[in-house]
Structure formats: structure tokens, C-alpha cells
């Protein structure tokens, strides 16, 4: 049984993330989406929202049965080991992602030689897409429908509505 962990901030989940989730779920027997409790990177969406959004998307917009969502903090390799997983899944959008990702992957392998990182190259239609771009568009009331799974679009707008009304 190969268990994979797909870690990230998912602030919020985008179509690019969903594409990687679907493809990685076909590779691993079980896939755990590890949602990072950001300590140094402040997220716009709460940990609870980020986890709930992903769970809703998996339930309502896919037929995947081998994917679970969990929050984690601390060292990624510790979380991976505690879950009995041996694969870390990451997405590569462009060369700019590569240098950073390579360093982290090598570091994680050094920390635990039983853990390997598998990279999925992004599907071309999502290569420009990031959570930060979605946040930027949503903050100005722009159309985020092409970029985030349908079932969370309203929740993302609602969040920015509540931020604006503070
Ligand atoms: P992090 O803060 O760890 O970068 P993100 O939520 O931004 O977390 O991204 C999590 C993972 O998903 C990373 O491996 C990132 O490269 C990948 N990813 C993000 N957006 C896309 C996309 N549009 N296509 C493919 N992979 C993506």
C-alpha cells in the first residue's frame, strides 16, 4: 500500500490543485492532503475553511474514495512518517518552482530516506494559476469561476465581502 501526502497551504484550493489531487490519487493507493497550519506565512482563509473547502470539493466535484484531508504543522517528514506514508506529492508550474522544490525534496529525503518526492508537472491550462492570483482577483470582485472549483466560489467571495465590511 503506497500512501502519498500532498502538502500545501491551499489558501484557497484552486483548479490547479484539484488537477494534481486527481492525478496523484491515481498513483497512490491512499492520498492525504496535508493542509499546513501556517506559522510564518499568514493565510487569508482559516485552517478550518481551507480544510473544509477541500473536503467539500472532493465530495461534491469528484468521485475519489481514496483521498482524505488533514491539517498539520511541524516538520512535513514527521507528518508523512506518522501517517505511514512514503510519498510526498508536489506540483511544478514553471522553472521558477523548480529550484525551491528541488532543495526541499532533497532536504526531506536526507531527513528521512524512506520518503520520496514525486512531482507532477502542471496541466498547461493551469500553469499560470496560483492561490495568490485567485485571492487578488476575488479581493477586487473579479470573476474567479474559471480558477476555483465551483462549489467554493461563493464562499471565497463571502470571505472577501466580510473582510471589506470590517
Ligand atoms: P505552498 O505554500 O506549499 O506552495 P500551495 O497551496 O501554494 O502551497 O501549493 C501546494 C502545491 O501545489 C505546490 O506543490 C504547488 O507547486 C502546487 N500547485 C499550486 N498551484 C498549482 C497549479 N496551478 N498547477 C499545479 N500545481 C500547483
Amino acid at each position: 500500500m503506497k500512501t502519498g501526502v500532498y502538502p500545501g497551504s491551499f489558501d484557497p484550493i484552486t483548479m490547479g490543485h484539484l488537477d494534481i489531487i486527481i492525478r496523484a490519487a491515481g498513483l497512490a493507493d491512499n492520498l492525504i492532503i496535508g493542509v499546513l497550519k501556517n506559522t510564518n506565512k499568514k493565510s487569508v482563509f482559516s485552517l478550518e475553511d481551507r480544510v473544509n473547502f477541500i473536503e467539500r470539493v472532493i465530495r461534491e466535484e469528484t468521485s475519489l474514495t481514496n483521498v482524505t484531508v488533514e491539517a498539520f504543522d511541524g516538520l512535513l517528514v514527521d507528518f508523512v512518517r506518522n501517517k505511514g506514508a512514503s510519498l510526498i506529492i508536489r506540483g511544478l508550474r514553471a522553472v521558477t518552482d523548480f529550484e525551491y522544490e528541488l532543495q526541499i525534496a532533497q532536504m526531506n529525503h536526507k531527513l528521512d530516506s524512506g520518503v520520496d518526492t514525486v512531482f507532477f508537472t502542471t496541466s498547461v491550462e493551469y500553469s499560470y494559476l496560483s492561490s495568490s492570483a485567485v485571492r487578488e482577483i476575488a479581493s477586487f470582485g473579479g470573476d474567479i469561476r474559471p480558477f476555483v472549483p465551483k462549489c467554493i466560489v461563493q464562499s471565497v467571495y463571502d470571505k472577501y465581502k466580510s473582510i471589506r465590511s470590517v
Side-chain angles (χ1 to χ4, degrees), residues 1-120:
M1 279 289 248
K2 279 265 179 220
T3 300
V5 171
Y6 179 31
S9 311
F10 306 102
D11 187 32
I13 181 174
T14 67
M15 294 304 290
H17 293 131
L18 180 58
D19 177 54
I20 301 288
I21 291 169
I22 292 168
R23 290 157 66 198
L27 176 84
D29 296 300
N30 293 304
L31 180 68
I32 301 167
I33 303 173
V35 183
L36 189 62
K37 251 185 223 179
N38 288 335
T39 41
N40 49 6
K41 194 169 151 191
K42 187 114 182 58
S43 58
V44 168
F45 294 88
S46 68
L47 181 66
E48 200 191 359
D49 278 349
R50 289 180 283 135
V51 168
N52 287 343
F53 286 174
I54 304 170
E55 282 176 341
R56 210 192 305 165
V57 170
I58 302 296
R59 200 173 50 238
E60 295 181 21
E61 301 198 22
T62 78
S63 52
L64 299 172
T65 53
N66 61 340
V67 179
T68 51
V69 189
E70 290 189 38
F72 81 99
D73 58 4
L75 267 186
L76 174 59
V77 282
D78 289 341
F79 177 67
V80 170
R81 198 183 299 123
N82 289 339
K83 292 289 150 194
S86 57
L87 299 176
I88 294 172
I89 309 292
R90 294 288 287 175
L92 285 178
R93 279 164 292 191
V95 232
T96 39
D97 281 340
F98 183 75
E99 205 172 328
Y100 170 78
E101 293 290 345
L102 179 69
Q103 199 179 13
I104 303 286
Q106 288 171 333
M107 183 69 81
N108 284 333
H109 189 69
K110 184 77 185 166
L111 288 171
D112 187 333
S113 60
V115 173
D116 271 306
T117 301
V118 177
F119 293 105
F120 282 85

